[in-house]
Amino acid sequence: MKIDAFHYVQLGTAYRGLQPVPDEEVIDLYGGTQHIPLYQMSDFYGKGPSIKQFMDIFSLPEMALLSCVVDHFLGHGLEFDQAHLYKDVTDAIRDVHVKGLMYQWIERDMEKYILRGDETFAVLSRLVDHGKQLFLITNSPFSFVDKGMRHMVGPDWRQLFDVVIVQADKPSFFTDPRKPFRKLDEKGSLQWDRITSLEKGKIYRQGNLFDFLRLTEWRGPRVLYFGDHLYSDLADLMLRHGWRTGAIIPELEREIRIINTEQYMHSLTWQQALTGLLERMQTYQDAESRQVLASWVKERQELRCLTKALFNAQFGSIFRTFHNPTYFSRRLVRFSDLYMASLSCLLNYRVDFTFYPRRTPLQHEAPLWMDQLCTGCMKTPFLSDMAHIR
């Protein structure tokens, strides 16, 4: 199910297996409300006592597998314990990683699975040419990283990075100071020597952020770190160490394409106009006015469902419920200074470009007609035709 920034379930987005759960049942499950209590929500790292928050692209196969297995059990009338099923699916996903199966499958078809290689090389080269110091911290093993980077960047990829760390075990890399760095030789074998400096062109395994900061002296907002998982990559770095952070959200590319369509803009504009009308005209309670208000409520709800379906028929946009930001959006804004669909988006800006934060209106600063706030335009189409209603 999909939850907004204030812990409310977006009705119409709850599924048991592959079947939608009726709105009435969702409300009944949560004691007559759509609200999920804080104690049931996920903790800081997205793993709460009874709810798991899916956060990144690895979540897609896990969600699909969970849904399909649940649907199979329900469809065949088989009894099962949800806790056991969740654990078995989670263990299966983990084993695919731990046993290296996923890496093997990707390595067999680099062209299919690794995207934007040329653009990645262009970004890295440009940063190095402008005197930036680059580092790579990944949970993947060296053999996989080496083959992938050779495919994208070329055989000399290590010369682009001042520090390369593999099998880092994030997020504990950022919080546990007990694990030391170990150097790997050219064949990927572990060395025994004590690490007193991090050298360019060398490969290091595991380690921890505290030693990393001590050895590099790269601290605070001078560092900009990119990752694709808000918790594992970005949260600790922003909150504990004051780094600047950039989130990579691949779905953003498609969502931006949709919000730039005429259908979306027309739907949202008229939806906001109806919202403004309802807010202004609800004081009129005679029979004819109530009938008009009811028709506006119905039309507004139809438009909300239509707008949702433009993004995804089941869940809508990953960034918004009907009107509120999603719980994911709330965490995204909290833990990232920038977010983008791909690292290659940086090619659209100069290296010395400054991104200034947008001033977001507070509720008491927002104009009465909310369409001006949501569409960003001072004059909204259609509203001029309604001037006589005001």
Side-chain angles (χ1 to χ4, degrees):
M1 60 186 174
K2 181 176 163 188
I3 300 173
D4 74 8
F6 308 102
H7 302 185
Y8 284 86
V9 180
Q10 181 180 359
L11 295 180
T13 68
Y15 282 78
R16 181 181 289 113
L18 300 174
Q19 304 304 316
V21 181
D23 294 346
E24 299 78 15
E25 185 176 349
V26 173
I27 293 172
D28 184 61
L29 283 169
Y30 288 99
T33 177
Q34 299 165 240
H35 184 262
I36 299 179
L38 179 63
Y39 70 88
Q40 291 188 20
M41 289 295 291
S42 56
D43 68 2
F44 184 77
Y45 291 107
K47 299 176 183 178
S50 60
I51 292 180
K52 163 72 181 292
Q53 185 184 3
F54 292 103
M55 288 294 297
D56 64 356
I57 201 162
F58 288 110
S59 299
L60 297 178
E62 186 173 358
M63 286 188 287
L65 183 57
L66 273 170
S67 299
C68 290
V69 174
V70 169
D71 202 68
H72 173 81
F73 275 76
L74 294 176
H76 290 79
L78 303 173
E79 292 187 11
F80 67 98
D81 187 299
Q82 295 95 326
H84 296 332
L85 175 59
Y86 173 75
K87 183 179 184 304
D88 289 348
V89 169
T90 302
D91 288 347
I93 296 287
R94 183 201 63 210
D95 288 346
V96 167
H97 286 265
V98 173
K99 295 179 180 178
L101 298 174
M102 185 194 72
Y103 303 122
Q104 295 173 20
W105 298 329
I106 293 176
E107 288 172 9
R108 290 175 192 159
D109 196 350
M110 292 281 192
E111 290 292 338
K112 179 179 179 180
Y113 293 111
I114 297 185
L115 309 176
R116 303 183 184 277
D118 293 341
E119 296 172 0
T120 301
F121 177 63
V123 172
L124 298 176
S125 300
R126 189 179 184 208
L127 292 172
V128 171
D129 290 344
H130 284 79
K132 303 298 181 183
Q133 294 173 292
L134 307 184
F135 61 92
L136 175 65
I137 303 175
T138 176
N139 286 348
S140 298
F142 171 68
S143 59
F144 178 71
V145 174
D146 186 51
K147 290 176 182 176
M149 293 299 288
R150 285 175 180 271
H151 176 80
M152 287 195 296
V153 177
D156 298 326
W157 68 269
R158 280 193 271 176
Q159 296 307 311
L160 295 171
F161 294 93
D162 292 84
V163 179
V164 176
I165 301 165
V166 299
Q167 291 178 277
D169 194 24
K170 298 179 292 183
S172 65
F173 176 89
F174 301 124
T175 58
D176 186 352
R178 296 172 297 178
K179 298 176 181 178
F181 285 109
R182 294 192 67 176
K183 189 186 296 183
L184 300 180
D185 64 16
E186 293 300 319
K187 297 180 180 180
S189 300
L190 287 170
Q191 302 299 290
W192 293 96
D193 43 322
R194 183 183 181 87
I195 304 302
T196 57
S197 64
L198 298 175
E199 304 173 42
K200 185 172 184 176
K202 303 297 183 182
I203 304 296
Y204 299 92
R205 175 181 166 178
Q206 211 161 57
N208 63 83
L209 184 67
F210 303 93
D211 286 343
F212 179 87
L213 296 175
R214 177 175 56 82
L215 296 172
T216 62
E217 297 185 351
W218 296 339
R219 298 178 182 275
R222 294 185 302 126
V223 183
L224 174 58
Y225 182 81
F226 290 93
D228 65 356
H229 197 291
L230 300 184
Y231 298 128
S232 297
D233 286 320
L234 307 181
D236 288 309
L237 293 175
M238 168 171 277
L239 299 179
R240 297 171 186 261
H241 302 285
W243 285 13
R244 297 296 190 187
T245 55
I248 305 299
I249 313 295
E251 294 88 348
L252 187 62
E253 183 174 2
R254 179 175 177 272
E255 296 233 354
I256 289 177
R257 192 161 58 244
I258 291 171
I259 65 177
N260 282 319
T261 63
E262 183 176 349
Q263 183 181 10
Y264 173 84
M265 289 188 283
H266 183 280
S267 175
L268 181 64
T269 300
W270 185 238
Q271 184 184 142
Q272 293 304 110
L274 285 171
T275 302
L277 283 170
L278 286 166
E279 195 170 55
R280 289 285 295 273
M281 308 304 291
Q282 61 186 305
T283 55
Y284 296 91
Q285 290 297 311
D286 58 275
E288 184 179 1
S289 295
R290 286 201 302 268
Q291 186 177 1
V292 172
L293 288 169
S295 68
W296 284 347
V297 169
K298 182 174 181 291
E299 183 178 2
R300 177 174 176 267
Q301 181 60 26
E302 291 171 351
L303 282 171
R304 280 151 58 106
C305 293
L306 174 64
T307 306
K308 168 197 164 189
L310 292 175
F311 296 95
N312 179 281
Q314 286 74 37
F315 298 102
S317 167
I318 69 169
F319 298 99
R320 277 195 182 276
T321 57
F322 286 130
H323 51 280
N324 285 329
T326 57
Y327 189 75
F328 170 79
S329 287
R330 176 185 176 185
R331 312 306 275 176
L332 176 64
V333 173
R334 179 70 181 92
F335 299 138
S336 64
D337 293 288
L338 302 171
Y339 63 91
M340 59 194 70
S342 165
L343 197 63
S344 61
C345 295
L346 292 176
L347 294 173
N348 297 312
Y349 303 92
R350 292 162 49 97
V351 174
D352 60 355
F353 186 88
T354 299
F355 291 94
Y356 291 95
R358 305 283 175 86
R359 179 185 173 92
T360 304
L362 303 173
Q363 286 300 311
H364 70 279
E365 298 174 324
L368 182 60
W369 285 78
M370 294 298 291
D371 56 284
Q372 296 179 5
L373 170 64
C374 294
T375 62
C377 43
M378 293 308 297
K379 179 169 178 156
T380 303
F382 312 116
L383 290 187
S384 58
D385 299 331
M386 301 177 190
H388 65 283
I389 300 177
R390 298 189 179 186

